[in-house]
Amino acid sequence: MNMKIDINKEDDKTVVLVAGEIDAYTAPKLREALLPLAEEENPQISVNLKNVSYMDSTGLGVFVGLLKNVRKNNGNLHLVELTDRLERLFSITGLSDIIDISSKSEGGLQ
C-alpha cells in the first residue's frame, strides 16, 4: 500500500497528516518529508496518525530520529489520533514514555 503525507504550516506549528502503511518500503519517504521540518529553529510538529493502518519498526525508527532532531533544535513533537493498534505499539516499545502521544486531536501543541 502507498503512503500519503500532507504537511500544513499553521502559524508557529506544522501539522502533518500521514495515511497508509509505514513500513520498510515507505519509511524512507516519511523520513525525507519529516526530517527537514525538525531542522528548523524551535520546530513545533504535530503528526496525525489516524489514517495509518500499519507501522513496523522502521516507522518507529523514523519517529525516534525525528524526536532527536526536534529536541536538538529546542522544539516539540506531538503524535495525535493514534489508532488503538498504534498506541499499543508505542506503549510496548516504551516510546510512549518519551514521545508526546495523544489519542485525541486536541492537546499537545497549542
Side-chain angles (χ1 to χ4, degrees), residues 5-58:
I5 305 166
D6 290 318
I7 300 173
N8 299 300
K9 298 266 186 178
E10 298 178 358
D11 298 321
D12 61 343
K13 73 176 179 178
T14 303
V15 177
V16 181
L17 181 61
V18 183
E21 296 181 356
I22 304 172
D23 56 21
Y25 178 72
T26 60
K29 177 182 175 185
L30 182 62
R31 182 179 293 111
E32 186 178 299
L34 294 179
L35 285 183
L37 302 174
E39 295 299 325
E40 298 174 5
E41 185 177 332
N42 190 29
Q44 304 297 313
I45 303 171
S46 178
V47 182
N48 187 307
L49 299 173
K50 71 179 177 184
N51 294 319
V52 173
S53 57
Y54 173 82
M55 184 186 307
D56 67 10
S57 61
T58 54

Side-chain angles (χ1 to χ4, degrees), residues 22 27 30-40 43 45 47 55-79 90 95 98-99:
I22 304 172
L30 182 62
R31 182 179 293 111
E32 186 178 299
L34 294 179
L35 285 183
L37 302 174
E39 295 299 325
E40 298 174 5
I45 303 171
V47 182
M55 184 186 307
D56 67 10
S57 61
T58 54
L60 292 174
V62 169
F63 288 107
V64 169
L66 180 64
L67 178 66
K68 287 180 181 178
N69 281 296
V70 164
R71 286 187 174 169
K72 180 179 74 176
N73 292 303
N74 301 312
N76 292 299
L77 172 64
H78 187 66
L79 305 181
F90 278 89
L95 292 173
I98 61 170
I99 299 176

